[in-house]
Amino acid sequence: MFSQDTEVEIALNNIEEELDSHIRFEERILFNEIQEAASVEQLAEIEKHHNGIQFSDDDWQDHFWEN
């Protein structure tokens, strides 16, 4: 979908739908399954790695929304 050079608007809409579907799957199914299956120690390890990730919108080189 990303390399498509015709019907770009349709491709972008498809990407949006796929991304939305994936996010909903993670929120509604995957994260719940992980919480049920993982031990307390495993969840603590996941949280440690998650909290260790540095993220800032300022790090992006392409501020496309500012153009």
Side-chain angles (χ1 to χ4, degrees):
M1 284 187 270
F2 287 99
S3 62
Q4 189 170 332
D5 58 359
T6 60
E7 298 180 341
V8 174
E9 189 171 332
I10 292 171
L12 288 173
N13 285 332
N14 290 338
I15 291 168
E16 177 186 11
E17 289 174 10
E18 290 292 325
L19 182 58
D20 186 58
S21 176
H22 178 78
I23 291 169
R24 290 182 187 278
F25 164 76
E26 286 182 343
E27 292 174 339
R28 294 182 179 159
I29 297 171
L30 182 62
F31 295 150
N32 291 326
E33 292 290 327
I34 291 170
Q35 287 179 330
E36 288 180 22
S39 68
V40 172
E41 294 82 14
Q42 290 170 322
L43 291 173
E45 187 70 19
I46 291 170
E47 184 176 1
K48 181 177 93 176
H49 286 285
H50 175 74
N51 289 336
I53 297 172
Q54 299 290 326
F55 176 79
S56 169
D57 284 341
D58 295 335
D59 294 339
W60 291 101
Q61 297 298 316
D62 179 15
H63 293 270
F64 63 90
W65 56 87
E66 294 176 357
N67 294 328

